[in-house]
Each structure stands twice: as structure tokens, then as C-alpha cells.
Amino acid sequence: MADRERSRSPDPAHADAPAPADNGAPADNGADAEGIKLYVGNLDYATDENKLREEFAQFGTVTEVFLPVDRSTQRPRGFGFVTLATREAAESAISKMDQAQVDGRTIRVNESRPKGSSVRGAGGAGGGGGFNASGSEDVKLYVGNLSFDTQEGSVRQAFEQYGTVSDCFLPTDRDSGRVRGFCFVTMPAKQAEEACAKLNGYELDGRALRVNEAQPKGSGGGGGGGGRGGYG
């Protein structure tokens, strides 16, 4: 959480004086005080702040662009955040830019949520038969339908949007050494639940991922439905 050595660029037009409303839209009408922050995923590593600002400025005033970089390599991490001044502008950007092509990549755009905010009321502290029924501190997720070309770094990058990835394991074929088209990702329970909800069906390297809670082999896990991954 403390990796602040990231590329962050406030809008130069805001440096000295408040900018007038652009494109005929009122600058603050209907906006949160901080604006609306959007998550932009699946970016090409060559995509920079100026390119993002240019793409999103067509929908309204861009107040901030933020591209996280890897702490050790200082390379971009393949995703970023764009803050727009009004909700109207943000919703328009989501509808037009989600699945759009930018620098040869099909990007994902949605409203950024604070880490740890729950997307479903399944409750991570156990009880019932929902997500993490055992109340474990960390949850292992099964990630299926991977492309054979997908690397561990790409999987980590996708899941790190939602929290800390403590382990990412891509099984390989014993004879050929090739990946087997699925993997396991371990994250803190709340973050894993959000990642599961948001990334099930997410397109990575041309394949729609199947993401669910991994079940230990031999567990009775819910009537054998739908390709839950077993491990152990």
C-alpha cells in the first residue's frame, strides 16, 4: 500500500486557477468532491499518462491520471487510474471505453472501488455455504481457461488490482513442461472475494477466465458443478 513511487500527474490546467467547464458540461455538477476515479486495466506497457489523458478528456475534465509502477523495475504495471470531475463524464467514459482498443490492447474500464469493499454480501468470516464458508484468512482461487501463452506476471497483474497476491501457481505438464491452462491464486479473503466476482469472465490473452474458490481435492464442494478447481 506504501508504494508511492508511482507516476502521478495532476492536470496541468488545474495548477494555477480553476479550469472552466469543458464541452459544455458543468465542472462540478453531480460530482463527488474528489471526482470519480476509474480503473483502467489491460494497458500496454507503452501507454503513458498523456495517452490516457487524451483518450478520457473527450468525456469531460480529467483531474488526475495515475499509473502505478513496479517498485523494483520501475516499469508500468499494466493498469492505471483516471479521475474525472463528474459522474456523468465517468459513466460516459465507462460505456464508451470499456473494451475499447488503446495502443493495440483491449482495455477494461470500470469505477474504482476502495480495497476491501465487499461486492457481495457473502461474508468472509464463515457461516453458511457462501464464499469462504470456513472463514479462512487467505483464500485460494482457481483460475481456469487460461491461454497456454499466459505468463504468471499477467495473472498477478490482473489479480493485484484487487489486493495482495501471496501466491500464484501455474501447474505445468510433467512431460512437455507447458502450462496446463489453469492456475491457483492466493489472496486475503475479502480481496479474493472481490477478485473472484470481478474477474470471472474477464478476458486475458484472448480467453474469458473462469474464476472461483478452489476446493481441496475430495471435498464435497457443492454438487460437482461448474468446473471448480481442486488442489492438494
Side-chain angles (χ1 to χ4, degrees):
M1 299 273 263
D3 88 30
R4 303 312 283 180
E5 55 269 43
R6 321 181 253 205
S7 178
R8 185 187 289 263
S9 124
D11 190 343
H14 286 64
D16 298 315
D22 280 338
N23 304 327
D28 274 318
N29 204 8
D32 287 0
E34 302 285 321
I36 306 298
K37 182 184 282 189
L38 302 180
Y39 163 78
V40 185
N42 201 34
L43 290 173
D44 187 90
Y45 291 128
T47 302
D48 61 13
E49 292 170 4
N50 289 335
K51 177 66 172 178
L52 280 184
R53 188 179 296 283
E54 176 186 313
E55 293 287 344
F56 283 84
Q58 59 187 304
F59 304 104
T61 302
V62 175
T63 60
E64 186 176 53
V65 176
F66 171 29
L67 287 172
V69 296
D70 183 88
R71 219 178 304 193
S72 51
T73 66
Q74 296 301 303
R75 285 187 65 199
R77 295 175 61 190
F79 64 94
F81 298 92
V82 174
T83 303
L84 287 156
T86 68
R87 177 159 294 280
E88 182 184 5
E91 288 176 355
S92 178
I94 291 170
S95 70
K96 297 293 200 314
M97 295 299 293
D98 188 38
Q99 305 286 349
Q101 290 279 320
V102 175
D103 291 335
R105 301 293 293 268
T106 302
I107 66 170
R108 301 303 306 265
V109 181
N110 50 52
E111 187 172 346
S112 177
R113 303 286 183 188
K115 278 185 182 173
S117 64
S118 180
V119 292
R120 292 183 274 171
F131 190 90
N132 190 26
S134 64
S136 302
E137 190 172 317
D138 292 317
V139 170
K140 180 178 288 191
L141 299 175
Y142 165 79
V143 185
N145 200 35
L146 285 176
S147 165
F148 292 122
D149 296 324
T150 297
Q151 303 292 313
E152 179 182 333
S154 299
V155 177
R156 281 186 175 273
Q157 179 181 304
F159 280 82
E160 282 174 349
Q161 306 165 39
Y162 302 103
T164 303
V165 172
S166 57
D167 187 57
C168 182
F169 171 51
L170 277 71
T172 56
D173 183 86
R174 209 173 304 178
D175 299 322
S176 69
R178 292 187 65 196
V179 295
R180 295 173 59 191
F182 65 93
C183 72
F184 297 97
V185 173
T186 303
M187 303 177 71
K190 281 283 189 186
Q191 297 169 4
E193 183 177 8
E194 183 173 8
C196 185
K198 294 285 181 65
L199 291 176
N200 188 39
Y202 174 84
E203 188 175 307
L204 182 64
D205 294 333
R207 304 292 293 270
L209 302 183
R210 282 205 324 273
V211 184
N212 51 48
E213 185 178 359
Q215 302 294 327
K217 278 185 180 168
S219 69
R228 281 182 180 267
Y231 67 92

